[in-house]
C-alpha cells in the first residue's frame, strides 16, 4: 500500500505560534507605549533658562504660606521704579534690556476662521515649545504688551525668555471686553495650540483684560487647549466654580498689589483662599504696598511660567 503523505508538526508548534504571536503583540504594544510617552514628553516644554534673574527676581520675601504658593513680596517705589527707570514709569535703564529680540518680532493681522485679529508676535509662528498670550486692559492695544521700555522692562524680559527657550509670545489688540473679545481670544488660543503642535499655551490677563480670562474659563474648547491662566491686578470671578476651567482644574496664577484701588486685593485673596481650600492648583503673589499696575511691572515671568510648565 502506497504511503499516504502526512503533514507533520513539531511538538507544541501550535502553542509556540500562540506564544510568538502574544510576544509579537506585546512588543508592539510596548513600542507604542514608548512612542506615546515620547509624544507626551515632547509636548511638554522644558523649564525656562534664567534671563537677568538678578535684576527681575523678587527682592525680598515678607511672608510665605501654603507650601510657598502664597507669598507676600516686598515692593518699594523708590527701589523698583525710581532706581530702575531712567525716566520713571516711562523708560527703564539699559541694563534691563536686550533689544536683539526685535529681529524676531512682527506686527500682523491673523485670519482666525473669519475673525481678524491684530497681534504683535515674538518668536516663530509654528512649532513653538510653548506659547504665552498677554491680554491688556482698558485703553491698551498690542503695543502695550510689546513695549520694551515701560513697566520696568518686564515685557522685554518676557520676549527674551520666550525666544531663548524656543517659545512664542502673542500680544493681541482687544477690541472689546465682552463676548466678542472672548471669541477672538478663543480663536487665537486654538490657533496657537494648532501651530505649536499641541504644546503648552498660557493665557495671561491684566486689569480689565481679566474679563477675557473669565470668559475663556467658560469656553470648554478653549480650556482644553490651555495649560494655565494668569490674572494680574484683575477682579475675582464669583462664578468660576461653575466654569469649564474649574472642572478641568486649570492651574491659576494670581499677582496683585496690596494697595490696588481699582480691584481690591482682599477680594482676589479671598478668591484664592476659596480655591485653595478645595486643593485647587493655584498660586498667589502679593506685592506689599503695590498699586494697580504693579503686577504687570513686577511679576516674575520666568517663575510663573516655570510653575505652569512643571505641572
Amino acid at each position: 500500500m502506497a504511503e499516504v503523505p502526512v503533514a507533520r508538526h513539531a511538538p507544541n508548534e501550535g502553542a509556540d505560534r500562540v506564544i510568538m504571536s502574544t510576544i509579537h503583540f506585546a512588543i508592539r504594544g510596548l513600542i507604542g507605549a514608548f512612542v506615546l510617552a515620547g509624544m507626551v514628553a515632547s509636548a511638554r516644554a522644558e523649564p525656562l533658562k534664567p534671563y537677568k534673574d538678578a535684576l527681575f527676581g523678587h527682592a525680598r520675601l515678607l511672608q510665605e504660606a501654603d507650601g510657598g504658593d502664597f507669598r507676600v513680596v516686598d515692593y518699594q517705589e523708590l527701589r523698583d521704579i525710581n532706581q530702575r527707570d531712567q525716566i520713571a514709569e516711562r523708560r527703564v535703564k539699559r541694563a534691563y534690556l536686550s533689544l536683539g529680540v526685535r529681529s524676531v518680532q512682527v506686527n500682523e493681522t491673523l485670519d482666525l476662521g473669519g475673525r481678524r485679529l491684530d497681534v504683535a508676535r515674538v518668536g516663530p509662528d509654528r512649532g513653538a515649545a510653548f506659547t504665552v498670550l498677554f491680554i491688556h486692559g482698558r485703553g491698551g492695544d498690542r503695543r502695550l504688551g510689546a513695549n520694551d521700555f515701560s513697566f520696568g522692562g518686564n515685557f522685554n524680559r518676557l520676549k527674551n525668555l520666550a525666544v531663548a527657550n524656543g517659545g512664542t509670545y502673542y500680544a493681541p489688540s482687544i477690541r472689546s471686553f465682552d463676548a466678542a473679545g472672548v471669541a477672538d481670544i478663543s480663536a487665537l488660543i486654538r490657533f496657537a495650540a494648532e501651530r505649536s503642535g499641541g504644546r503648552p499655551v498660557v493665557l495671561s490677563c491684566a486689569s480689565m483684560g481679566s474679563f477675557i480670562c473669565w470668559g475663556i474659563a467658560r469656553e470648554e474648547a478653549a480650556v482644553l487647549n490651555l495649560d494655565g491662566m494668569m490674572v494680574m491686578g484683575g477682579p475675582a470671578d464669583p462664578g468660576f466654580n461653575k466654569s469649564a476651567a474649574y472642572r478641568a482644574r486649570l492651574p491659576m496664577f494670581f499677582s496683585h498689589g496690596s494697595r490696588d484701588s481699582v480691584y481690591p486685593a482682599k477680594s482676589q485673596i479671598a478668591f484664592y483662599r476659596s480655591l485653595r481650600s478645595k486643593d485647587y492648583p493655584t498660586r498667589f503673589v502679593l506685592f506689599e504696598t503695590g498699586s494697580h499696575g504693579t503686577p504687570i511691572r513686577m511679576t516674575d515671568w520666568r517663575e510663573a511660567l516655570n510653575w505652569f510648565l512643571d505641572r
Side-chain angles (χ1 to χ4, degrees):
M1 178 181 297
E3 184 176 355
V4 178
V6 178
R8 301 186 183 276
H9 301 285
N12 296 321
E13 183 179 355
D16 289 346
R17 286 177 178 172
V18 172
I19 292 171
M20 290 302 293
S21 178
T22 302
I23 292 173
H24 176 69
F25 283 109
I27 291 173
R28 288 180 62 186
L30 187 61
I31 291 172
F34 279 126
V35 170
L36 179 59
M39 291 173 64
V40 171
S42 65
R44 295 185 60 189
E46 295 294 324
L48 305 190
K49 296 176 290 187
Y51 174 79
K52 300 196 176 187
D53 286 19
L55 293 175
F56 287 94
H58 298 148
R60 187 162 65 100
L61 191 64
L62 300 177
Q63 180 186 339
E64 187 173 25
D66 300 335
D69 284 332
F70 181 86
R71 285 167 297 157
V72 180
V73 174
D74 180 43
Y75 170 77
Q76 298 177 22
E77 182 175 331
L78 176 62
R79 179 193 62 215
D80 297 316
I81 293 182
N82 296 345
Q83 293 181 9
R84 186 166 165 177
D85 288 357
Q86 181 179 332
I87 304 174
E89 298 186 338
R90 295 182 59 188
R91 189 178 185 90
V92 72
K93 291 178 180 177
R94 186 66 179 82
Y96 291 83
L97 300 172
S98 294
L99 297 178
V101 73
R102 289 179 167 184
S103 65
V104 289
Q105 176 175 321
V106 297
N107 288 336
E108 58 188 352
T109 300
L110 300 177
D111 186 345
L112 305 171
R115 309 189 72 88
R116 297 180 67 79
L117 185 62
D118 293 337
V119 303
R121 171 176 54 83
V122 184
D125 66 344
R126 296 178 186 272
F130 63 93
T131 305
V132 181
L133 282 60
F134 172 78
I135 309 303
H136 60 77
R138 182 173 57 185
D141 57 29
R142 62 185 175 184
R143 291 173 296 180
L144 188 149
N147 192 314
D148 293 294
F149 300 100
S150 63
F151 299 104
N154 215 16
F155 286 118
N156 181 261
R157 186 189 189 212
L158 173 56
K159 292 193 285 187
N160 276 281
L161 282 169
V163 172
N165 291 277
T168 295
Y169 168 55
Y170 286 99
S173 289
I174 305 303
R175 290 174 287 192
S176 62
F177 296 94
D178 55 12
V182 170
D184 285 343
I185 299 308
S186 181
L188 179 59
I189 290 168
R190 182 178 64 251
F191 175 84
E194 291 172 351
R195 287 296 181 98
S196 71
R199 293 178 176 85
V201 178
V202 173
L203 176 65
S204 58
C205 302
S207 186
M208 193 173 181
S210 300
F211 287 106
I212 299 293
C213 267
W214 300 136
I216 290 295
R218 287 154 172 76
E219 299 284 335
E220 187 169 358
V223 169
L224 288 174
N225 285 320
L226 283 176
D227 290 79
M229 189 177 290
M230 295 175 63
V231 174
M232 297 179 283
D237 178 8
F240 183 73
N241 62 353
K242 297 181 177 64
S243 69
Y246 182 84
R247 292 192 298 271
R249 295 178 61 80
L250 181 71
M252 296 291 305
F253 185 104
F254 301 95
S255 56
H256 218 99
S258 68
R259 297 182 182 175
D260 190 331
S261 60
V262 180
Y263 300 116
K266 64 180 181 180
S267 298
Q268 199 70 293
I269 293 172
F271 181 41
Y272 161 83
R273 291 290 182 207
S274 70
L275 293 176
R276 185 78 190 185
S277 69
K278 299 174 180 63
D279 198 31
Y280 191 95
T282 183
R283 177 167 281 198
F284 198 109
V285 176
L286 181 68
F287 296 100
E288 185 61 32
T289 77
S291 62
H292 183 59
T294 300
I296 303 176
R297 181 183 185 90
M298 298 301 296
T299 294
D300 186 334
W301 282 103
R302 178 172 177 261
E303 176 188 71
L305 293 174
N306 277 341
W307 182 73
F308 288 118
L309 298 176
D310 190 49
R311 303 196 68 79

